[in-house]
Amino acid sequence: LDVTSFSPDADWKVVNGQLVKKVYVSAAYDANDDLIGRYEDVQSAIDATGTKTVVMLANVQLPTLTNPTTRTGALVVAPGKDITLDLDGCTISCDLNSPNYPANAILIWIKGKLTLDDSSGTNAGTIINTCATSSPWTRTVSVRDGGELVMNGGTIDSVRGNAMQIASGTVTING
């Protein structure tokens, strides 16, 4: 099958000359709960213009964070953003293997406002650092620079290191 002239629709893409179905891991909705789009990664849903709620559609293993100064693999809620992340029973994980940069290895940087929910009914949604050999100074979630986390559901965990750091920000845990 020659796919070089294929024009992919919203659910297909061409990768290395092969036609592959996209795997959407998140969906973004605006303040009126209208769908903005489905995304193959979580950060794109967070960054989409007008995003108010990001709903996880599948489990996500982010790339191993080997150089946190470039924040590769990390998710960032930028200043001025006000996002609800509905885990919907899914897991966001990352191997924070960063022995050279132990103070900077962070899975989610919250510098805006993030409300964490889990609408699955089981509260099984999890954000976790899965690396058992990472530095004890790694952080799964860091609330900093005036950021705010409101936790209504889900779990924040770390196999090793800190599950959460609060550095000049606020955290409210409701559930």
Side-chain angles (χ1 to χ4, degrees):
L1 175 65
D2 179 18
V3 296
T4 55
S5 63
F6 179 75
S7 178
D9 66 15
D11 292 323
W12 295 90
K13 63 183 176 180
V14 177
V15 177
N16 297 325
Q18 299 293 316
L19 185 62
V20 296
K21 185 152 178 73
K22 291 181 179 178
V23 177
Y24 296 108
V25 299
S26 60
Y29 296 85
D30 65 16
N32 297 319
D33 290 330
D34 292 327
L35 178 68
I36 294 171
R38 295 176 297 159
Y39 298 88
E40 294 178 272
D41 66 277
V42 183
Q43 189 66 57
S44 293
I46 290 171
D47 292 343
T49 301
T51 297
K52 177 63 180 160
T53 303
V54 174
V55 178
M56 296 303 300
L57 304 174
N59 295 332
V60 175
Q61 172 72 40
L62 297 174
T64 298
L65 185 60
T66 55
N67 184 354
T69 58
T70 62
R71 295 196 314 242
T72 303
L75 299 175
V76 178
V77 178
K81 279 286 194 178
D82 183 352
I83 301 290
T84 296
L85 176 59
D86 180 355
L87 294 171
D88 196 21
C90 297
T91 297
I92 300 173
S93 59
C94 186
D95 180 345
L96 295 177
N97 186 11
S98 182
N100 297 324
Y101 305 93
N104 292 328
I106 298 169
L107 174 53
I108 299 181
W109 298 53
I110 301 173
K111 297 180 178 186
K113 180 178 180 183
L114 177 68
T115 301
L116 187 62
D117 287 332
D118 186 344
S119 65
S120 68
T122 62
N123 207 34
T126 302
I127 301 170
I128 186 169
N129 165 25
T130 58
C131 185
T133 60
S134 63
S135 162
W137 298 105
T138 60
R139 290 161 310 270
T140 304
V141 171
S142 181
V143 183
R144 54 190 327 139
D145 303 328
E148 180 181 357
L149 171 64
V150 177
M151 192 167 169
N152 296 324
T155 301
I156 298 172
D157 200 358
S158 183
V159 172
R160 180 173 172 162
N162 299 295
M164 188 181 309
Q165 173 198 39
I166 306 166
S168 68
T170 59
V171 174
T172 304
I173 301 175
N174 297 317

